[in-house]
Amino acid sequence: MYRIESSGHWELLQCIASVQDNPSWLTLDLPRNRLYVLHGDGDRVAVFNRDPDTGLLSLYQDQTTGPRHGNPDLDPARRNNPVGASLTPDGNTLLIANHEGGNIAALPVSDRGLEPPAHLAAIEGDTAAHDTLSRPHEIVFAPESNLFAVPVQGRKAGNGIDMIRLYHWKRTRSCMADEIQLPEGSWPRHVDFHPSGKWLYGISELSSTVTVYHLDREKSVFSLQQTLSALPADYASRSDASEIEVHPSGRFVYAANRGHDSIAVFSINQQDGSLTPTGWVPCGGKTPRFTTLSPDGSRFFSANEDSDTIQVFDVDDETGMLSATAISIPSASPTCICFV
């Protein structure tokens, strides 16, 4: 846990032991002053209380993310492999994407912390095969809506199917509204909505492609509008895409590439949401697994997992392009950044 000074310097205030191996996703519950932490190689979610004056954290509870899937082809060492989470708009439920569990778990939030999963939305793979699953990788709600998007990876173990799904959160359940199947082996990984709610942007891990979807929120359906590469045309080596986010202004999209070790910058057509590449910026390290923007959109942060650094960039207001600053924060295997 850091405090960022007005100069941009990051002051390390606290480092806390994890409940299980590989803490890899953070979800802030600001009204309750809690932080929920997923463990990517585990099956638990930790609940930390947060002191509102100092920001310091203390472990309060840990809770199961649900039962493990019974498919014999799955690696038991990965357990549920929870990889993404989001609070429902009313703040009363934490939804967790259990990647290896093949489901979206709904954990009620109470004064006691997190309750065990009250609902599991299973995501099946090839329905012709027995006991199959596809793997959800993130949960992102549309602005001011109970509609949320889930990228789903079709890995071979479990006969999975690559797709993007839309769900409605209805009281206590995740109810599927629509889905779009993507090419086999693309592995859709993360998504982000445009602030207007008109468009959804996705990134696929193995194909290193960015996809643009038009969203009809009234009908709860969406359509694939555009697919383009997250990599420069002249790059032919291995690279796995990791993260995508839309600038708060709604004018730019950023996509991270692990292998090419770059951040792709795209401009958004404000009429139809389509993307045009602006350029590629070195991530300032190796393997940018996670990236994010400051809440005001003035700075961009690349969590470079294999170089153990967080690189800070300035964002150009007019073009969206990134300029590396002199600020690079040492941090062992950074995989998620969450701002208060």
Side-chain angles (χ1 to χ4, degrees):
M1 195 273 287
Y2 297 87
R3 176 189 290 118
I4 302 180
E5 307 291 350
S6 57
S7 65
H9 171 71
W10 287 39
E11 179 188 1
L12 178 63
L13 299 184
Q14 188 181 24
C15 187
I16 304 174
S18 62
V19 171
Q20 288 184 324
D21 290 340
N22 191 16
S24 52
W25 188 266
L26 310 174
T27 304
L28 182 67
D29 186 347
L30 195 54
R32 295 182 179 88
N33 278 304
R34 291 177 184 164
L35 183 73
Y36 305 117
V37 180
L38 299 183
H39 300 82
D41 293 324
D43 50 16
R44 311 292 294 180
V45 52
V47 181
F48 289 89
N49 284 332
R50 175 182 172 273
D51 185 308
D53 296 322
T54 66
L56 296 177
L57 303 171
S58 58
L59 180 64
Y60 176 67
Q61 175 208 25
D62 68 285
Q63 181 62 267
T64 178
T65 66
R68 301 184 192 178
H69 199 280
N71 190 294
D73 294 334
L74 302 180
D75 180 359
R78 299 182 70 190
R79 293 181 262 193
N80 266 354
N81 189 214
V83 292
S86 180
L87 284 164
T88 54
D90 61 12
N92 292 331
T93 307
L94 183 70
L95 300 183
I96 295 176
N98 283 315
H99 190 253
E100 203 77 355
N103 62 56
I104 301 165
L107 282 66
V109 180
S110 73
D111 293 339
R112 297 183 298 274
L114 290 174
E115 303 294 332
H119 180 249
L120 297 171
I123 303 177
E124 296 84 1
D126 181 0
T127 55
H130 177 67
D131 207 19
T132 66
L133 77 161
S134 279
R135 293 165 173 79
H137 209 291
E138 194 181 31
I139 297 165
V140 180
F141 277 88
E144 300 178 356
S145 174
N146 284 329
L147 195 67
F148 64 92
V150 179
V152 181
Q153 296 189 332
R155 302 197 181 207
K156 289 184 178 180
N159 292 321
I161 299 172
D162 292 292
M163 54 189 163
I164 305 288
R165 277 189 168 182
L166 284 181
Y167 285 85
H168 268 300
W169 176 248
K170 295 184 178 180
R171 296 185 180 178
T172 60
R173 301 173 67 88
S174 300
C175 303
M176 198 183 81
D178 197 11
E179 68 179 11
I180 293 176
Q181 190 167 333
L182 296 181
E184 182 179 354
S186 55
W187 289 17
R189 179 179 173 88
H190 279 185
V191 292
D192 200 12
F193 283 96
H194 191 271
S196 68
K198 294 180 180 179
W199 305 296
L200 174 69
Y201 299 91
I203 194 159
S204 292
E205 188 169 340
L206 291 194
S207 63
S208 292
T209 52
V210 173
T211 44
V212 183
Y213 307 87
H214 178 266
L215 180 67
D216 186 331
R217 289 204 288 183
E218 289 188 4
K219 297 181 179 178
S220 300
V221 297
F222 68 136
S223 57
L224 178 60
Q225 178 176 317
Q226 183 187 20
T227 301
L228 65 167
S229 179
L231 296 165
D234 60 353
Y235 184 79
S237 299
R238 172 70 183 266
S239 189
D240 295 336
S242 59
E243 185 60 274
I244 190 165
E245 55 262 326
V246 181
H247 192 273
S249 68
R251 298 174 57 203
F252 316 113
V253 164
Y254 301 93
N257 296 300
R258 298 173 293 180
H260 190 242
D261 289 339
S262 67
I263 311 300
V265 183
F266 301 90
S267 63
I268 300 176
N269 183 312
Q270 298 301 304
Q271 301 303 312
D272 63 8
S274 62
L275 299 180
T276 301
T278 300
W280 284 262
V281 178
C283 71
K286 188 175 181 181
T287 317
R289 177 168 165 182
F290 180 87
T291 61
T292 193
L293 289 144
S294 60
D296 64 0
S298 65
R299 284 193 160 172
F300 183 94
F301 306 88
S302 180
N304 300 319
E305 184 178 23
D306 289 339
S307 56
D308 301 325
T309 56
I310 301 169
Q311 176 63 47
V312 182
F313 297 83
D314 288 328
V315 179
D316 187 290
D317 291 342
E318 294 300 319
T319 67
M321 283 300 289
L322 307 178
S323 300
T325 70
I327 303 170
S328 181
I329 298 94
S331 181
S333 300
T335 61
C336 189
I337 302 169
C338 180
F339 285 94
V340 177

